[in-house]
């Protein structure tokens, strides 16, 4: 069954026990709030975890920046639909040997000549391309965003947060999110596969 952004918006309103809207362009407060938050919340929730359905791979050619040996001297342009790259490995597989890299804006720098396989979270905009469990997470995330400005009831924020936590737990339990693909707070260099020992 096809699903639309309007369906998702109305599911978010249902979490808050609010009446559905006829269009995201409708001139009512609920529609204006949902229209304001929809795309940014979708992108944020996609990027927050390594959703299996949203992981794509691309083979990209690199350019030598001329910075010399033993440096991250090859630059690769990220695909246009990339929200964030996943950790790079020598063979492009998630369980491959990590390689050193860094990201600057829309470019990846590493010490390997191309082509390079980059796995990344894609900015998928069509709800029919999404895992149903991601849709549940997005519905709840939207409900959290609009709960206070729409209802002015603190209890509704708690209801929406509980729905979000349940939806995310279900996604992890069903392996809809790749383990090890989350954003970690460990060393910034190690997140990018940079395990070189710094000189002291």
């Amino acid at each position: 069954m096809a699903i639309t952004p309007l369906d998702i918006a109305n599911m978010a309103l249902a979490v808050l026990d609010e009446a559905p809207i006829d269009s995201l362009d409708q001139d009512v407060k609920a529609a204006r709030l949902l229209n304001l938050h929809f795309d940014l919340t979708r992108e944020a929730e996609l990027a927050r975890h390594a959703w299996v359905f949203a992981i794509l791979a691309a083979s990209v050619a690199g350019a030598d920046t001329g910075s010399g040996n033993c440096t991250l001297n090859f630059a690769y342009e990220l695909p246009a639909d990339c929200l964030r790259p996943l950790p790079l490995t020598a063979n492009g597989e998630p369980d491959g040997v990590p390689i050193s890299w860094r990201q600057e804006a829309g470019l990846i720098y590493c010490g390997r000549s191309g082509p390079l396989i980059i796995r990344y979270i894609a900015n998928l905009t069509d709800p029919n391309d999404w895992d149903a469990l991601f849709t549940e997470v997005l519905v709840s995330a939207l409900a959290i965003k609009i709960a206070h400005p729409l209802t002015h009831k603190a209890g509704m924020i708690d209801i929406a947060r509980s729905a979000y936590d349940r939806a995310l737990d279900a996604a992890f339990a069903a392996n809809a999110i790749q383990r090890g693909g989350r954003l970690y707070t460990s060393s910034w260099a190690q997140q990018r596969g940079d395990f070189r020992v710094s000189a002291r």
Side-chain angles (χ1 to χ4, degrees):
M1 181 181 86
I3 189 170
T4 67
L6 178 61
D7 294 327
I8 292 166
N10 280 326
M11 285 188 274
L13 289 171
V15 171
L16 303 174
D17 199 24
E18 292 287 321
I21 56 176
D22 297 324
S23 165
L24 281 167
D25 296 322
Q26 188 176 347
D27 190 18
V28 296
K29 187 173 185 179
R32 289 192 296 270
L33 286 168
L34 285 160
N35 200 22
L36 175 67
H37 291 289
F38 195 96
D39 286 334
L40 185 60
T41 304
R42 172 185 53 76
E43 289 186 18
E45 292 302 324
L46 276 171
R48 189 164 315 216
H49 301 284
W51 291 94
V52 173
F53 78 91
I55 297 175
L56 299 182
S59 179
V60 292
D64 191 341
T65 63
S67 58
N69 292 332
C70 300
T71 64
L72 306 182
N73 57 313
F74 288 94
Y76 299 86
E77 188 171 348
L78 288 169
D81 62 344
C82 175
L83 285 175
R84 71 173 174 96
L86 295 176
L88 298 185
T89 61
N91 62 0
E93 295 298 324
D95 58 352
V97 177
I99 59 176
S100 299
W101 64 288
R102 75 175 189 273
Q103 179 182 355
E104 293 180 6
L107 295 175
I108 288 288
Y109 292 88
C110 79
R112 289 178 171 259
S113 60
L116 183 72
I117 297 174
I118 296 176
R119 296 172 68 252
Y120 64 97
I121 304 298
N123 187 13
L124 301 180
T125 59
D126 185 346
N128 297 290
D129 293 335
W130 305 342
D131 188 300
L133 293 167
F134 171 77
T135 300
E136 291 290 331
V137 168
L138 178 57
V139 164
S140 305
L142 283 169
I144 292 170
K145 288 280 181 72
I146 68 172
H148 184 263
L150 183 62
T151 70
H152 301 289
K153 299 175 183 174
M156 284 301 175
I157 298 174
D158 295 335
I159 288 172
R161 285 191 191 283
S162 294
Y164 181 88
D165 291 342
R166 288 194 304 273
L168 199 57
D169 287 346
F172 275 111
N175 294 318
I177 296 171
Q178 179 183 293
R179 301 285 179 173
R182 300 178 67 179
L183 294 175
Y184 290 103
T185 56
S186 62
S187 161
W188 186 251
Q190 288 183 12
Q191 288 179 40
R192 279 154 172 69
D194 191 345
F195 298 104
R196 294 172 295 182
V197 177
S198 58
R200 295 190 183 274

